[in-house]
Amino acid sequence: VMAAPDGTIESQEDAADGMIKAGCDDVQVGGKFIPGMCYNLVFDQAAEDSVYTLSLGPSGATPGLKHIMFLQHMPGEFEKDHHYIVDAQCEGACDVEPIKCEPSCEGGGHGA
């Protein structure tokens, strides 16, 4: 996860590749992660849901600032009863939808 001041995926691909090559930290269920690092989300195989907190911190409050998530799997592959990203500060925990996905935002295959 990283901030993307110009809003493009391509502008951040080299930085993301460097973070992945440097190694990713494991985040257990209930854990928190922030932009600027690589993470492996460790699912609870015995639980129906695995929930994590993405904290955008002060940058998340910046109007118009976009963030990019580079993922091994499209999050929709794991969606069941709840949307894969919600804004917990929004009344009713509003769904957060991607603006752009590569190769596409449809479920299924691997992508960014």
Side-chain angles (χ1 to χ4, degrees):
V1 177
M2 61 182 59
D6 69 357
T8 65
I9 294 171
E10 293 78 14
S11 69
Q12 300 299 321
E13 287 176 342
D14 288 341
D17 190 48
M19 282 193 286
I20 292 166
K21 287 179 180 171
C24 302
D25 292 340
D26 287 346
V27 178
Q28 303 297 324
V29 171
K32 178 175 164 179
F33 59 105
I34 60 172
M37 294 184 63
C38 178
Y39 300 96
N40 292 311
L41 301 181
V42 180
F43 297 128
D44 181 345
Q45 300 296 321
E48 187 150 325
D49 293 316
S50 292
V51 177
Y52 312 86
T53 299
L54 168 58
S55 178
L56 297 178
S59 67
T62 305
L65 181 62
K66 297 172 178 64
H67 289 79
I68 297 174
M69 297 177 80
F70 291 87
L71 309 167
Q72 184 176 13
H73 293 271
M74 297 302 284
E77 292 181 54
F78 306 101
E79 190 172 64
K80 184 180 173 189
D81 299 327
H82 308 289
H83 193 58
Y84 52 88
I85 299 178
V86 296
D87 182 345
Q89 295 179 349
C90 173
E91 188 174 325
C94 304
D95 292 350
V96 176
E97 298 294 345
I99 296 170
K100 180 179 179 183
C101 305
E102 291 183 7
S104 78
C105 292
E106 300 303 316
H110 300 179

